[in-house]
PDB file of all heavy atoms in Angstrom:
ATOM      1  N   ARG G  63      -7.641 -12.203   5.987  1.00  0.00           N
ATOM      2  CA  ARG G  63      -8.929 -12.290   6.667  1.00  0.00           C
ATOM      3  C   ARG G  63     -10.051 -12.530   5.668  1.00  0.00           C
ATOM      4  O   ARG G  63      -9.929 -12.199   4.493  1.00  0.00           O
ATOM      5  CB  ARG G  63      -9.216 -10.973   7.417  1.00  0.00           C
ATOM      6  CG  ARG G  63      -8.231 -10.677   8.538  1.00  0.00           C
ATOM      7  CD  ARG G  63      -8.631  -9.389   9.212  1.00  0.00           C
ATOM      8  NE  ARG G  63      -7.806  -9.118  10.373  1.00  0.00           N
ATOM      9  CZ  ARG G  63      -8.033  -8.125  11.229  1.00  0.00           C
ATOM     10  NH1 ARG G  63      -9.052  -7.309  11.035  1.00  0.00           N
ATOM     11  NH2 ARG G  63      -7.254  -7.938  12.262  1.00  0.00           N
ATOM     12  N   SER G  64     -11.154 -13.050   6.142  1.00  0.00           N
ATOM     13  CA  SER G  64     -12.344 -13.175   5.315  1.00  0.00           C
ATOM     14  C   SER G  64     -13.007 -11.816   5.241  1.00  0.00           C
ATOM     15  O   SER G  64     -12.781 -10.951   6.093  1.00  0.00           O
ATOM     16  CB  SER G  64     -13.319 -14.184   5.933  1.00  0.00           C
ATOM     17  OG  SER G  64     -13.820 -13.680   7.153  1.00  0.00           O
ATOM     18  N   PRO G  65     -13.865 -11.559   4.218  1.00  0.00           N
ATOM     19  CA  PRO G  65     -14.504 -10.267   4.079  1.00  0.00           C
ATOM     20  C   PRO G  65     -15.253  -9.838   5.328  1.00  0.00           C
ATOM     21  O   PRO G  65     -15.305  -8.650   5.637  1.00  0.00           O
ATOM     22  CB  PRO G  65     -15.448 -10.473   2.877  1.00  0.00           C
ATOM     23  CG  PRO G  65     -14.759 -11.508   2.058  1.00  0.00           C
ATOM     24  CD  PRO G  65     -14.135 -12.440   3.054  1.00  0.00           C
ATOM     25  N   SER G  66     -15.856 -10.780   6.060  1.00  0.00           N
ATOM     26  CA  SER G  66     -16.623 -10.424   7.245  1.00  0.00           C
ATOM     27  C   SER G  66     -15.738  -9.915   8.372  1.00  0.00           C
ATOM     28  O   SER G  66     -16.207  -9.281   9.306  1.00  0.00           O
ATOM     29  CB  SER G  66     -17.427 -11.630   7.733  1.00  0.00           C
ATOM     30  OG  SER G  66     -16.551 -12.676   8.109  1.00  0.00           O
ATOM     31  N   GLN G  67     -14.422 -10.196   8.293  1.00  0.00           N
ATOM     32  CA  GLN G  67     -13.502  -9.778   9.334  1.00  0.00           C
ATOM     33  C   GLN G  67     -12.767  -8.488   8.989  1.00  0.00           C
ATOM     34  O   GLN G  67     -12.011  -7.975   9.798  1.00  0.00           O
ATOM     35  CB  GLN G  67     -12.467 -10.881   9.585  1.00  0.00           C
ATOM     36  CG  GLN G  67     -13.057 -12.168  10.146  1.00  0.00           C
ATOM     37  CD  GLN G  67     -12.001 -13.254  10.231  1.00  0.00           C
ATOM     38  OE1 GLN G  67     -11.322 -13.560   9.249  1.00  0.00           O
ATOM     39  NE2 GLN G  67     -11.842 -13.821  11.408  1.00  0.00           N
ATOM     40  N   LEU G  68     -12.981  -7.975   7.788  1.00  0.00           N
ATOM     41  CA  LEU G  68     -12.260  -6.800   7.357  1.00  0.00           C
ATOM     42  C   LEU G  68     -12.906  -5.541   7.918  1.00  0.00           C
ATOM     43  O   LEU G  68     -14.111  -5.507   8.160  1.00  0.00           O
ATOM     44  CB  LEU G  68     -12.246  -6.716   5.828  1.00  0.00           C
ATOM     45  CG  LEU G  68     -11.605  -7.912   5.120  1.00  0.00           C
ATOM     46  CD1 LEU G  68     -11.646  -7.697   3.625  1.00  0.00           C
ATOM     47  CD2 LEU G  68     -10.180  -8.124   5.598  1.00  0.00           C
ATOM     48  N   PRO G  69     -12.107  -4.472   8.103  1.00  0.00           N
ATOM     49  CA  PRO G  69     -12.659  -3.213   8.578  1.00  0.00           C
ATOM     50  C   PRO G  69     -13.746  -2.696   7.644  1.00  0.00           C
ATOM     51  O   PRO G  69     -13.713  -2.929   6.439  1.00  0.00           O
ATOM     52  CB  PRO G  69     -11.438  -2.273   8.576  1.00  0.00           C
ATOM     53  CG  PRO G  69     -10.262  -3.200   8.689  1.00  0.00           C
ATOM     54  CD  PRO G  69     -10.655  -4.426   7.929  1.00  0.00           C
ATOM     55  N   ALA G  70     -14.690  -1.937   8.210  1.00  0.00           N
ATOM     56  CA  ALA G  70     -15.812  -1.434   7.422  1.00  0.00           C
ATOM     57  C   ALA G  70     -15.350  -0.538   6.286  1.00  0.00           C
ATOM     58  O   ALA G  70     -16.002  -0.431   5.255  1.00  0.00           O
ATOM     59  CB  ALA G  70     -16.783  -0.663   8.319  1.00  0.00           C
ATOM     60  N   VAL G  71     -14.194   0.105   6.444  1.00  0.00           N
ATOM     61  CA  VAL G  71     -13.695   0.990   5.395  1.00  0.00           C
ATOM     62  C   VAL G  71     -13.435   0.227   4.104  1.00  0.00           C
ATOM     63  O   VAL G  71     -13.470   0.779   3.009  1.00  0.00           O
ATOM     64  CB  VAL G  71     -12.401   1.700   5.868  1.00  0.00           C
ATOM     65  CG1 VAL G  71     -11.254   0.713   5.973  1.00  0.00           C
ATOM     66  CG2 VAL G  71     -12.032   2.839   4.938  1.00  0.00           C
ATOM     67  N   ILE G  72     -13.224  -1.103   4.204  1.00  0.00           N
ATOM     68  CA  ILE G  72     -12.982  -1.920   3.026  1.00  0.00           C
ATOM     69  C   ILE G  72     -14.272  -2.482   2.455  1.00  0.00           C
ATOM     70  O   ILE G  72     -14.494  -2.480   1.251  1.00  0.00           O
ATOM     71  CB  ILE G  72     -12.031  -3.088   3.369  1.00  0.00           C
ATOM     72  CG1 ILE G  72     -10.713  -2.543   3.915  1.00  0.00           C
ATOM     73  CG2 ILE G  72     -11.764  -3.948   2.147  1.00  0.00           C
ATOM     74  CD1 ILE G  72      -9.989  -1.643   2.979  1.00  0.00           C
ATOM     75  N   THR G  73     -15.150  -2.984   3.311  1.00  0.00           N
ATOM     76  CA  THR G  73     -16.336  -3.688   2.841  1.00  0.00           C
ATOM     77  C   THR G  73     -17.502  -2.762   2.509  1.00  0.00           C
ATOM     78  O   THR G  73     -18.472  -3.194   1.913  1.00  0.00           O
ATOM     79  CB  THR G  73     -16.791  -4.713   3.894  1.00  0.00           C
ATOM     80  OG1 THR G  73     -17.011  -4.041   5.147  1.00  0.00           O
ATOM     81  CG2 THR G  73     -15.728  -5.776   4.092  1.00  0.00           C
ATOM     82  N   ASP G  74     -17.440  -1.495   2.892  1.00  0.00           N
ATOM     83  CA  ASP G  74     -18.518  -0.554   2.603  1.00  0.00           C
ATOM     84  C   ASP G  74     -18.291   0.058   1.225  1.00  0.00           C
ATOM     85  O   ASP G  74     -17.509   0.993   1.064  1.00  0.00           O
ATOM     86  CB  ASP G  74     -18.554   0.535   3.685  1.00  0.00           C
ATOM     87  CG  ASP G  74     -19.719   1.491   3.503  1.00  0.00           C
ATOM     88  OD1 ASP G  74     -20.507   1.298   2.543  1.00  0.00           O
ATOM     89  OD2 ASP G  74     -19.857   2.425   4.307  1.00  0.00           O
ATOM     90  N   HIS G  75     -18.997  -0.470   0.210  1.00  0.00           N
ATOM     91  CA  HIS G  75     -18.823   0.013  -1.162  1.00  0.00           C
ATOM     92  C   HIS G  75     -19.192   1.481  -1.300  1.00  0.00           C
ATOM     93  O   HIS G  75     -18.648   2.177  -2.161  1.00  0.00           O
ATOM     94  CB  HIS G  75     -19.686  -0.811  -2.114  1.00  0.00           C
ATOM     95  CG  HIS G  75     -19.345  -2.274  -2.113  1.00  0.00           C
ATOM     96  ND1 HIS G  75     -20.229  -3.235  -2.533  1.00  0.00           N
ATOM     97  CD2 HIS G  75     -18.226  -2.932  -1.721  1.00  0.00           C
ATOM     98  CE1 HIS G  75     -19.665  -4.432  -2.413  1.00  0.00           C
ATOM     99  NE2 HIS G  75     -18.461  -4.266  -1.926  1.00  0.00           N
ATOM    100  N   SER G  76     -20.127   1.957  -0.480  1.00  0.00           N
ATOM    101  CA  SER G  76     -20.616   3.325  -0.633  1.00  0.00           C
ATOM    102  C   SER G  76     -19.514   4.346  -0.396  1.00  0.00           C
ATOM    103  O   SER G  76     -19.506   5.411  -1.011  1.00  0.00           O
ATOM    104  CB  SER G  76     -21.781   3.594   0.327  1.00  0.00           C
ATOM    105  OG  SER G  76     -21.360   3.522   1.677  1.00  0.00           O
ATOM    106  N   ARG G  77     -18.569   4.046   0.464  1.00  0.00           N
ATOM    107  CA  ARG G  77     -17.480   4.986   0.728  1.00  0.00           C
ATOM    108  C   ARG G  77     -16.555   5.085  -0.480  1.00  0.00           C
ATOM    109  O   ARG G  77     -16.075   6.168  -0.823  1.00  0.00           O
ATOM    110  CB  ARG G  77     -16.700   4.564   1.978  1.00  0.00           C
ATOM    111  CG  ARG G  77     -17.560   4.545   3.232  1.00  0.00           C
ATOM    112  CD  ARG G  77     -16.745   4.221   4.471  1.00  0.00           C
ATOM    113  NE  ARG G  77     -15.789   5.280   4.775  1.00  0.00           N
ATOM    114  CZ  ARG G  77     -15.025   5.275   5.866  1.00  0.00           C
ATOM    115  NH1 ARG G  77     -15.104   4.271   6.731  1.00  0.00           N
ATOM    116  NH2 ARG G  77     -14.185   6.263   6.093  1.00  0.00           N
ATOM    117  N   VAL G  78     -16.306   3.967  -1.117  1.00  0.00           N
ATOM    118  CA  VAL G  78     -15.485   3.975  -2.324  1.00  0.00           C
ATOM    119  C   VAL G  78     -16.238   4.679  -3.451  1.00  0.00           C
ATOM    120  O   VAL G  78     -15.660   5.469  -4.201  1.00  0.00           O
ATOM    121  CB  VAL G  78     -15.107   2.545  -2.739  1.00  0.00           C
ATOM    122  CG1 VAL G  78     -14.283   2.555  -4.029  1.00  0.00           C
ATOM    123  CG2 VAL G  78     -14.322   1.849  -1.626  1.00  0.00           C
ATOM    124  N   THR G  79     -17.547   4.394  -3.575  1.00  0.00           N
ATOM    125  CA  THR G  79     -18.369   5.041  -4.592  1.00  0.00           C
ATOM    126  C   THR G  79     -18.355   6.547  -4.446  1.00  0.00           C
ATOM    127  O   THR G  79     -18.179   7.284  -5.427  1.00  0.00           O
ATOM    128  CB  THR G  79     -19.822   4.528  -4.505  1.00  0.00           C
ATOM    129  OG1 THR G  79     -19.852   3.129  -4.775  1.00  0.00           O
ATOM    130  CG2 THR G  79     -20.712   5.258  -5.512  1.00  0.00           C
ATOM    131  N   GLN G  80     -18.528   7.030  -3.222  1.00  0.00           N
ATOM    132  CA  GLN G  80     -18.537   8.482  -2.994  1.00  0.00           C
ATOM    133  C   GLN G  80     -17.183   9.092  -3.302  1.00  0.00           C
ATOM    134  O   GLN G  80     -17.100  10.194  -3.858  1.00  0.00           O
ATOM    135  CB  GLN G  80     -18.932   8.786  -1.544  1.00  0.00           C
ATOM    136  CG  GLN G  80     -19.194  10.268  -1.287  1.00  0.00           C
ATOM    137  CD  GLN G  80     -20.271  10.837  -2.202  1.00  0.00           C
ATOM    138  OE1 GLN G  80     -21.371  10.283  -2.298  1.00  0.00           O
ATOM    139  NE2 GLN G  80     -19.962  11.919  -2.895  1.00  0.00           N
ATOM    140  N   ALA G  81     -16.123   8.377  -2.973  1.00  0.00           N
ATOM    141  CA  ALA G  81     -14.779   8.882  -3.279  1.00  0.00           C
ATOM    142  C   ALA G  81     -14.592   9.030  -4.784  1.00  0.00           C
ATOM    143  O   ALA G  81     -14.001  10.006  -5.255  1.00  0.00           O
ATOM    144  CB  ALA G  81     -13.723   7.943  -2.703  1.00  0.00           C
ATOM    145  N   ILE G  82     -15.121   8.076  -5.551  1.00  0.00           N
ATOM    146  CA  ILE G  82     -15.036   8.139  -7.007  1.00  0.00           C
ATOM    147  C   ILE G  82     -15.803   9.346  -7.539  1.00  0.00           C
ATOM    148  O   ILE G  82     -15.306  10.111  -8.375  1.00  0.00           O
ATOM    149  CB  ILE G  82     -15.568   6.841  -7.639  1.00  0.00           C
ATOM    150  CG1 ILE G  82     -14.638   5.673  -7.312  1.00  0.00           C
ATOM    151  CG2 ILE G  82     -15.723   6.996  -9.159  1.00  0.00           C
ATOM    152  CD1 ILE G  82     -15.199   4.322  -7.699  1.00  0.00           C
ATOM    153  N   LEU G  83     -17.024   9.534  -7.057  1.00  0.00           N
ATOM    154  CA  LEU G  83     -17.854  10.649  -7.511  1.00  0.00           C
ATOM    155  C   LEU G  83     -17.219  11.991  -7.164  1.00  0.00           C
ATOM    156  O   LEU G  83     -17.283  12.940  -7.951  1.00  0.00           O
ATOM    157  CB  LEU G  83     -19.248  10.546  -6.888  1.00  0.00           C
ATOM    158  CG  LEU G  83     -20.115   9.397  -7.408  1.00  0.00           C
ATOM    159  CD1 LEU G  83     -21.373   9.252  -6.560  1.00  0.00           C
ATOM    160  CD2 LEU G  83     -20.479   9.617  -8.877  1.00  0.00           C
ATOM    161  N   ASP G  84     -16.604  12.073  -5.989  1.00  0.00           N
ATOM    162  CA  ASP G  84     -15.932  13.315  -5.597  1.00  0.00           C
ATOM    163  C   ASP G  84     -14.793  13.631  -6.558  1.00  0.00           C
ATOM    164  O   ASP G  84     -14.566  14.795  -6.912  1.00  0.00           O
ATOM    165  CB  ASP G  84     -15.389  13.200  -4.170  1.00  0.00           C
ATOM    166  CG  ASP G  84     -16.500  13.194  -3.124  1.00  0.00           C
ATOM    167  OD1 ASP G  84     -17.633  13.583  -3.458  1.00  0.00           O
ATOM    168  OD2 ASP G  84     -16.223  12.789  -1.976  1.00  0.00           O
ATOM    169  N   PHE G  85     -14.074  12.596  -6.995  1.00  0.00           N
ATOM    170  CA  PHE G  85     -12.934  12.821  -7.870  1.00  0.00           C
ATOM    171  C   PHE G  85     -13.340  13.301  -9.246  1.00  0.00           C
ATOM    172  O   PHE G  85     -12.700  14.189  -9.805  1.00  0.00           O
ATOM    173  CB  PHE G  85     -12.084  11.549  -7.979  1.00  0.00           C
ATOM    174  CG  PHE G  85     -10.862  11.621  -7.137  1.00  0.00           C
ATOM    175  CD1 PHE G  85     -10.837  11.084  -5.873  1.00  0.00           C
ATOM    176  CD2 PHE G  85      -9.746  12.285  -7.593  1.00  0.00           C
ATOM    177  CE1 PHE G  85      -9.716  11.205  -5.075  1.00  0.00           C
ATOM    178  CE2 PHE G  85      -8.619  12.399  -6.807  1.00  0.00           C
ATOM    179  CZ  PHE G  85      -8.604  11.855  -5.544  1.00  0.00           C
ATOM    180  N   VAL G  86     -14.363  12.704  -9.803  1.00  0.00           N
ATOM    181  CA  VAL G  86     -14.714  13.058 -11.181  1.00  0.00           C
ATOM    182  C   VAL G  86     -15.569  14.310 -11.252  1.00  0.00           C
ATOM    183  O   VAL G  86     -15.829  14.811 -12.350  1.00  0.00           O
ATOM    184  CB  VAL G  86     -15.439  11.885 -11.884  1.00  0.00           C
ATOM    185  CG1 VAL G  86     -14.541  10.660 -11.937  1.00  0.00           C
ATOM    186  CG2 VAL G  86     -16.770  11.565 -11.214  1.00  0.00           C
ATOM    187  N   SER G  87     -16.012  14.834 -10.120  1.00  0.00           N
ATOM    188  CA  SER G  87     -16.845  16.037 -10.136  1.00  0.00           C
ATOM    189  C   SER G  87     -16.022  17.304 -10.328  1.00  0.00           C
ATOM    190  O   SER G  87     -16.554  18.343 -10.701  1.00  0.00           O
ATOM    191  CB  SER G  87     -17.651  16.139  -8.836  1.00  0.00           C
ATOM    192  OG  SER G  87     -16.791  16.303  -7.720  1.00  0.00           O
ATOM    193  N   GLN G  88     -14.719  17.219 -10.077  1.00  0.00           N
ATOM    194  CA  GLN G  88     -13.843  18.377 -10.241  1.00  0.00           C
ATOM    195  C   GLN G  88     -12.643  17.987 -11.094  1.00  0.00           C
ATOM    196  O   GLN G  88     -11.909  17.065 -10.746  1.00  0.00           O
ATOM    197  CB  GLN G  88     -13.380  18.908  -8.881  1.00  0.00           C
ATOM    198  CG  GLN G  88     -14.520  19.437  -8.009  1.00  0.00           C
ATOM    199  CD  GLN G  88     -14.011  20.034  -6.708  1.00  0.00           C
ATOM    200  OE1 GLN G  88     -12.866  19.803  -6.316  1.00  0.00           O
ATOM    201  NE2 GLN G  88     -14.856  20.802  -6.044  1.00  0.00           N
ATOM    202  N   ILE G  89     -12.456  18.697 -12.180  1.00  0.00           N
ATOM    203  CA  ILE G  89     -11.359  18.404 -13.091  1.00  0.00           C
ATOM    204  C   ILE G  89     -10.136  19.234 -12.688  1.00  0.00           C
ATOM    205  O   ILE G  89     -10.227  20.465 -12.606  1.00  0.00           O
ATOM    206  CB  ILE G  89     -11.740  18.725 -14.556  1.00  0.00           C
ATOM    207  CG1 ILE G  89     -13.050  18.004 -14.932  1.00  0.00           C
ATOM    208  CG2 ILE G  89     -10.607  18.360 -15.489  1.00  0.00           C
ATOM    209  CD1 ILE G  89     -12.970  16.505 -14.799  1.00  0.00           C
ATOM    210  N   PRO G  90      -9.000  18.604 -12.439  1.00  0.00           N
ATOM    211  CA  PRO G  90      -7.812  19.363 -12.042  1.00  0.00           C
ATOM    212  C   PRO G  90      -7.338  20.294 -13.154  1.00  0.00           C
ATOM    213  O   PRO G  90      -7.429  19.967 -14.338  1.00  0.00           O
ATOM    214  CB  PRO G  90      -6.761  18.267 -11.782  1.00  0.00           C
ATOM    215  CG  PRO G  90      -7.529  17.003 -11.621  1.00  0.00           C
ATOM    216  CD  PRO G  90      -8.750  17.154 -12.466  1.00  0.00           C
ATOM    217  N   ASP G  91      -6.840  21.464 -12.760  1.00  0.00           N
ATOM    218  CA  ASP G  91      -6.198  22.348 -13.725  1.00  0.00           C
ATOM    219  C   ASP G  91      -4.858  21.746 -14.134  1.00  0.00           C
ATOM    220  O   ASP G  91      -4.332  20.856 -13.458  1.00  0.00           O
ATOM    221  CB  ASP G  91      -5.975  23.727 -13.105  1.00  0.00           C
ATOM    222  CG  ASP G  91      -7.289  24.457 -12.863  1.00  0.00           C
ATOM    223  OD1 ASP G  91      -8.249  24.215 -13.616  1.00  0.00           O
ATOM    224  OD2 ASP G  91      -7.344  25.262 -11.909  1.00  0.00           O
ATOM    225  N   SER G  92      -4.312  22.248 -15.220  1.00  0.00           N
ATOM    226  CA  SER G  92      -3.016  21.754 -15.684  1.00  0.00           C
ATOM    227  C   SER G  92      -2.126  22.919 -16.082  1.00  0.00           C
ATOM    228  O   SER G  92      -2.585  23.890 -16.685  1.00  0.00           O
ATOM    229  CB  SER G  92      -3.178  20.818 -16.879  1.00  0.00           C
ATOM    230  OG  SER G  92      -1.916  20.410 -17.374  1.00  0.00           O
ATOM    231  N   ALA G  93      -0.852  22.801 -15.719  1.00  0.00           N
ATOM    232  CA  ALA G  93       0.130  23.805 -16.107  1.00  0.00           C
ATOM    233  C   ALA G  93       0.869  23.392 -17.374  1.00  0.00           C
ATOM    234  O   ALA G  93       1.748  24.112 -17.854  1.00  0.00           O
ATOM    235  CB  ALA G  93       1.127  24.031 -14.974  1.00  0.00           C
ATOM    236  N   VAL G  94       0.515  22.238 -17.924  1.00  0.00           N
ATOM    237  CA  VAL G  94       1.171  21.735 -19.139  1.00  0.00           C
ATOM    238  C   VAL G  94       0.654  22.504 -20.355  1.00  0.00           C
ATOM    239  O   VAL G  94      -0.545  22.732 -20.490  1.00  0.00           O
ATOM    240  CB  VAL G  94       0.914  20.226 -19.310  1.00  0.00           C
ATOM    241  CG1 VAL G  94       1.455  19.730 -20.644  1.00  0.00           C
ATOM    242  CG2 VAL G  94       1.546  19.456 -18.158  1.00  0.00           C
ATOM    243  N   GLU G  95       1.568  22.878 -21.227  1.00  0.00           N
ATOM    244  CA  GLU G  95       1.183  23.575 -22.451  1.00  0.00           C
ATOM    245  C   GLU G  95       1.015  22.585 -23.595  1.00  0.00           C
ATOM    246  O   GLU G  95       1.557  21.478 -23.566  1.00  0.00           O
ATOM    247  CB  GLU G  95       2.254  24.617 -22.821  1.00  0.00           C
ATOM    248  CG  GLU G  95       2.410  25.716 -21.775  1.00  0.00           C
ATOM    249  CD  GLU G  95       3.433  26.751 -22.196  1.00  0.00           C
ATOM    250  OE1 GLU G  95       4.064  26.563 -23.261  1.00  0.00           O
ATOM    251  OE2 GLU G  95       3.596  27.737 -21.462  1.00  0.00           O
ATOM    252  N   GLY G  96       0.248  22.979 -24.586  1.00  0.00           N
ATOM    253  CA  GLY G  96       0.069  22.141 -25.755  1.00  0.00           C
ATOM    254  C   GLY G  96       1.413  21.812 -26.388  1.00  0.00           C
ATOM    255  O   GLY G  96       2.278  22.684 -26.494  1.00  0.00           O
ATOM    256  N   SER G  97       1.593  20.572 -26.783  1.00  0.00           N
ATOM    257  CA  SER G  97       2.879  20.120 -27.301  1.00  0.00           C
ATOM    258  C   SER G  97       2.805  19.865 -28.805  1.00  0.00           C
ATOM    259  O   SER G  97       1.773  19.451 -29.332  1.00  0.00           O
ATOM    260  CB  SER G  97       3.299  18.830 -26.578  1.00  0.00           C
ATOM    261  OG  SER G  97       4.462  18.287 -27.148  1.00  0.00           O
TER     262      SER G  97
END
């Protein structure tokens, strides 16, 4: 499809931007020990 025919979830950059910001705002804990 052309971009104009794609669902809004794809063409709305703000949703992807917010998802990125949500991810980097919290750092996952790790159970890995120093090697």
Side-chain angles (χ1 to χ4, degrees):
R63 296 181 174 187
S64 67
S66 63
Q67 295 174 307
L68 301 180
V71 70
I72 302 301
T73 56
D74 184 1
H75 300 158
S76 65
R77 299 184 66 175
V78 178
T79 297
Q80 190 57 52
I82 292 171
L83 290 171
D84 289 344
F85 258 95
V86 299
S87 64
Q88 296 184 344
I89 306 301
D91 292 331
S92 176
V94 174
E95 297 182 356
S97 174

